Every structure is written in C-alpha cells, then in structure tokens.
Amino acid sequence: MNNLITTLEIIRYASAIALCVALVALAICWLYRNIKETAETAVKEELEQAIREAGRPIVKVEIQTKGKW
C-alpha cells in the first residue's frame, strides 16, 4: 500500500511540473507573438511613411552669393 501511495505522489508531482512547463511555454509563445505583431506593425508604418515621402518631389534650393554686399 505504501508503494502505491509513493507512486501516486510521484505521478502527482510529475503532473504539476508538466503543467508548469506547459504554462511557461504558453507564456513564451504569447510573448513572442506579441513582439512579432508589434514589430510587423512598426515595419509596416515605416514602409508606408517611406512610400509617402518617396512620392513627394525633392526640391533643392541653393543660394549663391557673389562677392561682398
């Protein structure tokens, strides 16, 4: 009987450890997904900004002075 109780306790502890590992894996997946979505959004916004800026004409103004006034 004592051997059966010991076996059941080992199974219970192993199950608790497996549950903790699964929860940590789930948290890591959520964190990775959140970071990935944030990065994708930032890259998309930067790309859209670059496209808007590329569509604008570039005007370069130079002022040349000759001699002293």
Side-chain angles (χ1 to χ4, degrees), residues 13-35:
Y13 289 130
S15 297
I17 291 170
L19 178 62
C20 289
V21 169
L23 289 174
V24 168
L26 182 63
I28 290 171
C29 282
W30 176 81
L31 183 62
Y32 170 76
R33 187 175 179 188
N34 191 17
I35 290 171

Side-chain angles (χ1 to χ4, degrees), residues 4-61:
L4 180 62
I5 292 173
T6 304
T7 304
L8 291 175
E9 287 294 319
I10 291 171
I11 291 171
R12 185 176 73 137
Y13 289 130
S15 297
I17 291 170
L19 178 62
C20 289
V21 169
L23 289 174
V24 168
L26 182 63
I28 290 171
C29 282
W30 176 81
L31 183 62
Y32 170 76
R33 187 175 179 188
N34 191 17
I35 290 171
K36 183 180 173 188
E37 287 176 358
T38 303
E40 286 175 352
T41 302
V43 168
K44 182 179 177 184
E45 290 172 359
E46 289 177 9
L47 183 60
E48 289 174 352
Q49 179 69 24
I51 291 171
R52 281 193 300 271
E53 288 178 2
R56 295 181 189 155
I58 298 173
V59 178
K60 185 175 182 181
V61 177

